Amino acid sequence: MVEVLHETAHSKSIEALLEQLQTTHQGLSDDEAAARLERFGPNQLDTAPPVSPWKLLAQQFANVLIITLLIATVLSAFLGHGVEAIAIAVIVLFAVLLGFIQEFRAEKAIEALRRMAAPASRVMRDGVEKLIPSQEVVPGDLVVLAAGDRIPADGRLVEAVNLRTDEAALTGESLPADKDAAAVLPLKTSVGDRRNMVFSGTSAVYGRGLEVVTATGMQTEFGRIAGMLQRVEVEKTPLQKNLDKVGASLARAALVIVALIVALGIYRGQPFIEILIFGIALAVAVVPEALPAVVTISLALGVQRMVKRHALMRRLPAVETLGSTTVICSDKTGTLTRDEMTVRRLYAGTLGATVSGSGYKPEGVITPETGGGPLPHPVTALLEAGVLCNDAHLERAADGAWLITGDPTEAALIVAARKAGLDDAGLKQRLPRIDEEPFDSATKRMVTVHRSGGSTVAVVKGAPEVIFQACSSYLDASGALKPFDAEARSKAAGEAESMGQQALRVLGVARKNGAGIGESLEGLTFLGLFGMIDPPRSEAREAVERCIGAGIRPVMITGDHPVTATAVARELGILRNGKVVTGAELETMSEEALGEAAGSVAVFARVSPEHKLRLVQALQKRGEVVAMTGDGVNDAPALKRADIGVSMGIAGTEVSREASAMTLLDDNFATIVSAIEEGRGIFDNIKKYLTYLLSSNIGELGLMAGATLFGLPLPLTAVQILYVNLATDGLPALALAVDPAAPDIMKRPPNDQKRGIFTRSVMALMLAGGIWSTIVNLALFEWARHSGRSLEEAMTMTFVSLVLIQFFKAYNFRSETEHVFTNIFSNRWLNLAIVWELTLLVAIIYVPALAAPFGTFMMPVSSWLIVLGGALTVVPVIEAVKWMLRKGWIGS
């Protein structure tokens, strides 16, 4: 019964609803309330069933790469390489713990929603007002509401006296919503337009009211959001999917190679244990055990850089997703706009003026259309009236931020007055308020009366049409009274209409000398109009342009009015085709039509949380990688479902932050562009590392497999193979993971999620480097054997050649297209890594204590020159491939 009534309550009269809920204007009895509490349960949000920590831990080991690394740990230990076995085990433990911690994100979001619930509520029971825990509120209860109260449950208003509620966290509206208990609305009215309803988790900011509860707990709008958070599945990032494939492929390759080499060795009569141990060593070298470490370090260092640019990552793998982002679905209020009402235009008497600056910071200039100089008297009179008929306050916090108390619209009038140099506090002292008539939705006006010398002055503020009707005069440019005749009234009405078309909220202001409350407020002097808006962030337009330049499509998805959304989107450059779709239109769309709209429409207005979630899903079905930015509770399900959710750190709700993957610490939309740049750079570096690593592995495998197939002696010992593996997977690879980003990184299209890491350019470079390494080293080994050198010296020359080739490739693979000499030494970490590894290489050859276990020979200078010459040939080979890539002969 409750759910049905909740969905239709706004379309019923008060008496009909009270009858259906079996309650009265006196409220429920204590016994009936207790019975309903037993029937409907407590007024709280459900939590998702707890998952066993052991089960979550076990799920982390379902990753193919983790399983492969565990096998590599066992194999390394079997070979007697305890240090490597311990290192791999630590890497595995770190990766498992990271995944384990992330699994609790959904439950944290639910807990944050629960904490937002009101702790206590005032209800009518048997005609007596009582304070009870909010958990005990039941359907049919009459809840008493006053300014500042957190609303405990969804309900239909029975009474509303100048009641306004802050529903920004639920609907996205930046302005408090005016409430009207007498209204009976159409059944299909959207949540944001149900002015006869109030909702759990929102708050009353002005006036008072009385609601009859129609839904509690999980049946409320907040409860439905919590339910969606429980049901939404978190998908793997593109990088995680690619790494799973890489791990599986490498594991299969390792098994095939081990089996091949062992079989051929046994066939040729080599000792079984010797060839088995060699095959296992080669298998360990094939598996990139440093892969999770390099990826994690890349992401972690990227996160540190992003914090310096005011972006906090909550999930490491999501950093990479930013680089693949193709669509940003952004909420309007507080994300693209400041969430601070700002006066943009004045109309005083018959004079127009523009107001610069945005937000609550009282910096800006008022420029009359008549030109510079002192402000005309009508403008000053209008600003003074806006200060007097006003209950808001503007204060500066210790950190320098400007804060308001009261209605945002009234605060905007205070800010405008300060921009003109007016002393609002002094003005209120000179003209103290002695009486008032609060704003009433019926009269659509607010009246304040002030003592002015030995007389009084009444100031009236309200809807323009109400003000026009009550005025008989206006102030001309000199301050003289002129008749407010049909011509003047028509001109003022035209200005109000023009402001409305610009999505400005319009307030009319007038005054009357010698008047008081209760007297006839006719014959007023028209002072003018204020046109205000929640303005776009000054840096948001540039951020939008950068996104478009980077091949990313910005989409506004907001609960705000279509006219306001259109104006803001057009000013920011988001709205390009002029098409706006509302939530009501989305309701009637088929999945196919929704998909088409998601692919072409840039602005969606008056949408509900369900609509936002559907739009994100529709975009994902089209193959888009979706980032969703938002700050309200209503954004949480879409934030969690999106490929990457981006919440606001200052104005954002705790719910949205817990559901997101990234938080903007400065609430600046432009910060997401910086984050995308970091994400692209990180993805580029992971590609560099993988190209380098796998090219090296191909060279190692090709060398060993070639020698086996051609019946040659094995060119490397098991210990040398393991060292090459550690040297090439170690510091040089980590250095590539922190390579500086390319200058054109934000001029490229987004990384293609379908292609993943292994693009044609990556494959071409990887194969060219690996195959050439195989050819050079096989040729060198065979030549050295037939040049009168011992097998030990031939193996040492091949070992050194393999290492040097891989070091040259580290510099070559810093770019897929630019030649190796472009900023060749700009990565100081790579320079240091190569110097260190070369030092170790020399020590392994010339320090007897190391040469013995590694089986190396003290090479003369002539052998070094031969090896160096052969290794250097890899540079022109890779440069030739890059040249073909630049020419387009090899697809990207």
Side-chain angles (χ1 to χ4, degrees):
M1 177 182 73
V2 178
E3 185 174 0
V4 173
L5 287 179
H6 175 56
E7 293 294 331
T8 61
H10 59 278
S11 64
K12 297 179 181 296
S13 67
I14 295 171
E15 295 304 324
L17 187 61
L18 291 175
E19 183 178 350
Q20 279 192 275
L21 288 169
Q22 299 176 13
T23 188
T24 68
H25 289 276
Q26 302 298 308
L28 300 172
S29 66
D30 288 333
D31 291 341
E32 177 61 21
R36 295 192 183 193
L37 184 61
E38 181 71 23
R39 176 183 174 187
F40 297 114
N43 179 33
Q44 63 185 25
L45 302 181
D46 295 339
T47 56
V51 181
S52 166
W54 294 110
K55 183 177 179 181
L56 284 178
L57 189 61
Q59 289 173 352
Q60 308 310 311
F61 291 94
N63 183 294
V64 174
L65 190 56
I66 296 297
I67 294 171
T68 306
L69 293 178
L70 288 174
I71 295 172
T73 305
V74 175
L75 294 177
S76 296
F78 176 76
L79 283 170
H81 299 281
V83 174
E84 186 178 57
I86 292 171
I88 299 172
V90 170
I91 291 169
V92 171
L93 179 63
F94 184 80
V96 166
L97 288 178
L98 187 64
F100 176 76
I101 291 169
Q102 293 166 4
E103 294 293 334
F104 289 102
R105 189 156 304 277
E107 191 154 343
K108 286 183 180 179
I110 298 298
E111 290 172 2
L113 273 171
R114 294 183 67 185
R115 287 195 294 271
M116 290 189 71
S121 304
R122 290 178 297 150
V123 300
M124 299 295 294
R125 294 278 171 86
D126 290 320
V128 178
E129 186 176 309
K130 293 183 177 182
L131 187 67
I132 66 169
S134 294
Q135 291 183 346
E136 297 179 11
V137 172
V138 296
D141 259 329
L142 290 184
V143 179
V144 180
L145 304 174
D149 286 351
R150 185 66 69 100
I151 295 166
D154 290 6
R156 169 75 157 83
L157 287 167
V158 176
E159 295 178 10
V161 180
N162 304 320
L163 181 64
R164 299 182 200 170
T165 61
D166 180 3
E167 298 178 354
L170 185 65
T171 66
E173 285 279 11
S174 53
L175 292 172
D178 293 320
K179 295 300 178 179
D180 181 5
V184 178
L185 305 173
L187 184 61
K188 292 187 177 181
T189 303
S190 65
V191 171
D193 292 323
R194 294 179 187 175
R195 63 182 186 276
N196 59 1
M197 298 282 291
V198 288
F199 303 98
S200 168
T202 63
S203 57
V205 296
Y206 194 86
R208 58 186 176 83
L210 187 68
E211 70 159 317
V212 56
V213 175
T214 59
T216 59
M218 294 299 290
Q219 301 300 322
T220 63
E221 292 296 326
F222 264 46
R224 294 169 65 190
I225 293 173
M228 286 189 288
L229 281 172
Q230 290 176 357
R231 293 191 298 268
V232 172
E233 296 180 359
V234 181
E235 293 189 346
K236 288 185 176 182
T237 68
L239 179 59
Q240 288 172 318
K241 296 173 184 176
N242 280 314
L243 291 184
D244 282 344
K245 293 177 182 178
V246 171
S249 299
L250 292 175
R252 287 192 293 268
L255 291 174
V256 170
I257 289 163
V258 169
L260 176 64
I261 291 178
V262 170
L264 286 173
I266 293 173
Y267 175 75
R268 289 175 180 156
Q270 290 178 278
F272 175 75
I273 294 298
E274 178 185 332
I275 196 65
L276 178 62
I277 291 176
F278 184 85
I280 290 173
L282 188 56
V284 171
V286 171
V287 178
E289 63 270 14
L291 179 58
V294 172
V295 171
T296 300
I297 289 170
S298 297
L299 298 176
L301 293 176
V303 165
Q304 292 177 15
R305 292 193 298 269
M306 292 167 92
V307 168
K308 294 178 182 178
R309 300 173 80 169
H310 309 295
L312 174 65
M313 296 306 303
R314 305 177 68 88
R315 287 194 296 114
L316 284 181
V319 177
E320 174 269 338
T321 314
L322 283 169
S324 302
T325 300
T326 58
V327 176
I328 298 176
C329 296
S330 176
D331 189 26
K332 178 186 72 67
T333 305
T335 308
L336 291 166
T337 66
R338 299 178 60 92
D339 198 15
E340 298 177 357
M341 291 300 291
T342 303
V343 174
R344 280 277 185 88
R345 182 163 177 78
L346 304 175
Y347 180 75
T350 57
L351 300 175
T354 58
V355 185
S356 64
S358 64
Y360 297 138
K361 190 175 184 179
E363 294 182 2
V365 177
I366 298 177
T367 307
E369 292 176 348
T370 54
L375 291 178
H377 178 75
V379 175
T380 303
L382 173 63
L383 293 169
E384 289 179 345
V387 169
L388 293 172
C389 192
N390 198 312
D391 290 323
H393 298 277
L394 178 68
E395 299 175 353
R396 192 166 194 172
D399 61 358
W402 290 92
L403 307 175
I404 68 159
T405 54
D407 188 279
T409 299
E410 294 188 337
L413 306 185
I414 299 289
V415 174
R418 291 198 187 182
K419 289 177 180 178
L422 297 181
D423 178 7
D424 51 290
L427 180 62
K428 290 181 177 181
Q429 288 180 351
R430 285 190 293 106
L431 299 173
R433 186 185 299 186
I434 58 176
D435 205 352
E436 66 182 280
E437 177 187 303
F439 179 84
D440 188 290
S441 56
T443 61
K444 296 183 179 180
R445 71 182 186 190
M446 174 182 177
V447 183
T448 57
V449 180
H450 305 264
R451 184 178 291 111
S452 178
S455 183
T456 61
V457 58
V459 182
V460 185
K461 176 185 69 183
E465 64 274 14
V466 173
I467 300 298
F468 295 158
Q469 190 174 1
C471 290
S472 60
S473 62
Y474 72 94
L475 296 177
D476 68 5
S478 65
L481 290 177
K482 292 295 179 75
F484 194 58
D485 53 20
E487 182 181 352
R489 183 176 283 106
S490 175
K491 188 175 180 182
E495 180 68 23
E497 183 178 356
S498 174
M499 289 183 182
Q501 291 172 349
Q502 299 172 53
L504 300 179
R505 186 185 186 193
V506 187
L507 280 179
V509 182
R511 75 182 183 196
K512 185 175 184 180
N513 294 326
I517 300 296
E519 301 178 20
S520 173
L521 287 177
E522 299 294 330
L524 303 179
T525 298
F526 175 69
L527 297 180
L529 303 170
F530 287 99
M532 63 194 76
I533 194 172
D534 176 15
R537 293 179 177 272
S538 57
E539 63 279 357
R541 182 176 180 85
E542 180 185 352
V544 168
E545 289 176 353
R546 287 196 70 195
C547 285
I548 294 172
I552 302 166
R553 186 166 68 94
V555 176
M556 180 189 291
I557 304 178
T558 178
D560 216 337
H561 195 279
V563 174
T564 307
T566 299
V568 172
R570 184 172 284 118
E571 186 170 340
L572 289 173
I574 293 175
L575 186 64
R576 303 203 166 197
N577 59 7
K579 190 173 182 181
V580 179
V581 172
T582 65
E585 291 171 322
L586 286 177
E587 286 284 357
T588 61
M589 285 185 180
S590 64
E591 289 300 317
E592 183 180 353
L594 178 63
E596 292 179 3
S600 60
V601 177
V603 178
F604 297 87
R606 277 286 188 243
V607 295
S608 69
E610 292 93 335
H611 297 147
K612 293 187 177 186
L613 189 57
R614 283 186 66 202
L615 283 167
V616 170
Q617 291 170 330
L619 286 164
Q620 288 173 329
K621 286 180 181 177
R622 293 176 60 89
E624 306 283 5
V625 178
V626 182
M628 168 71 186
T629 69
D631 59 356
V633 174
N634 60 324
D635 298 321
L639 286 173
K640 191 164 182 283
R641 181 64 178 86
D643 295 283
I644 179 164
V646 184
S647 61
M648 303 296 114
I650 300 173
T653 60
E654 188 176 357
V655 178
S656 64
R657 288 194 290 269
E658 289 295 336
S660 67
M662 184 176 84
T663 298
L664 304 183
L665 300 179
D666 57 357
D667 285 14
N668 191 334
F669 180 80
T671 301
I672 195 173
V673 181
S674 301
I676 288 174
E677 185 175 1
E678 288 289 350
R680 289 187 175 190
I682 290 167
F683 188 70
D684 267 10
N685 288 346
I686 291 172
K687 282 205 301 182
K688 294 172 190 177
Y689 162 73
L690 281 175
T691 305
Y692 169 64
L693 167 72
L694 297 181
S695 175
S696 299
N697 281 354
I698 289 171
E700 296 166 28
L701 291 172
L703 173 62
M704 305 313 296
T708 302
L709 289 172
F710 293 131
L712 304 178
L714 293 176
L716 299 175
T717 67
V719 175
Q720 288 172 348
I721 291 175
L722 288 172
Y723 177 78
V724 171
N725 180 44
L726 289 172
T728 58
D729 291 2
L731 293 179
L734 292 176
L736 282 178
V738 293
D739 207 38
D744 66 341
I745 199 164
M746 286 301 286
K747 296 178 182 177
R748 310 176 195 163
N751 300 321
D752 190 340
Q753 187 179 11
K754 294 178 182 177
R755 290 193 305 174
I757 294 174
F758 296 104
T759 60
R760 290 185 180 179
S761 57
V762 168
M763 293 296 292
L765 292 169
M766 183 176 68
L767 291 173
I771 292 171
W772 188 253
S773 175
T774 298
I775 294 171
V776 169
N777 288 319
L778 274 175
L780 177 65
F781 178 62
E782 188 63 5
W783 174 85
R785 284 180 61 235
H786 290 85
S787 65
R789 290 172 171 81
S790 65
L791 179 61
E792 184 183 30
E793 185 175 358
M795 292 177 69
T796 302
M797 291 178 69
T798 307
F799 168 61
V800 173
S801 173
L802 181 62
V803 172
L804 291 181
I805 285 175
Q806 292 175 359
F807 290 167
F808 288 136
K809 287 192 292 187
Y811 284 101
N812 270 102
F813 289 154
R814 290 186 60 216
S815 172
E816 294 180 8
T817 55
E818 296 295 328
H819 61 72
V820 69
F821 299 107
T822 302
N823 299 320
I824 184 171
F825 297 120
S826 60
N827 186 339
R828 62 191 182 99
W829 296 111
L830 180 59
N831 301 335
L832 291 171
I834 297 299
V835 170
W836 172 250
E837 294 294 346
L838 283 172
T839 303
L840 288 180
L841 181 62
V842 171
I844 287 170
I845 295 173
Y846 294 106
V847 176
L850 295 176
F854 277 90
T856 56
F857 179 86
M858 292 188 182
M859 287 169 42
V861 175
S862 59
S863 295
W864 272 101
L865 292 175
I866 293 169
V867 168
L868 183 60
L872 274 171
T873 60
V874 78
V875 175
V877 170
I878 295 176
E879 288 301 309
V881 174
K882 290 184 181 181
W883 179 78
M884 287 187 281
L885 285 169
R886 289 195 295 269
K887 291 292 185 180
W889 294 354
I890 303 175
S892 60

